[in-house]
Amino acid sequence: MPNYRIEFAKEILGVPFTIGAVEIMRARDPDRALRAAEPRFARHHGIGDWRARADLATLAERH
């Protein structure tokens, strides 16, 4: 199973600025990796929903 890195960014004047990232080891597919990363990011920042801190979540598969 592939590894994924999900980067969370805040968009300011249309430019994304990465504010954090979560590594997901061994997810079956990209959608599951993203769903697993969202609550981890929120917990790390002490918030209930990741969208309170970031505007975008982008996914990259790592080998």
Side-chain angles (χ1 to χ4, degrees):
M1 282 194 251
N3 298 329
Y4 295 93
R5 177 181 174 88
I6 295 81
E7 292 185 350
F8 294 87
K10 187 74 168 173
E11 202 169 50
I12 301 171
L13 298 174
V15 178
F17 292 91
T18 301
I19 57 172
V22 175
E23 298 280 336
I24 300 295
M25 304 300 185
R26 298 190 304 200
R28 287 186 194 170
D29 57 56
D31 188 49
R32 285 184 185 224
L34 185 59
R35 286 195 322 245
E38 291 168 351
R40 286 186 193 179
F41 178 80
R43 276 193 309 270
H44 177 75
H45 289 279
I47 54 178
D49 188 358
W50 69 272
R51 290 177 221 111
R53 180 83 51 171
D55 298 321
L56 306 168
T58 56
L59 183 118
E61 186 173 329
R62 299 171 62 110
H63 299 280

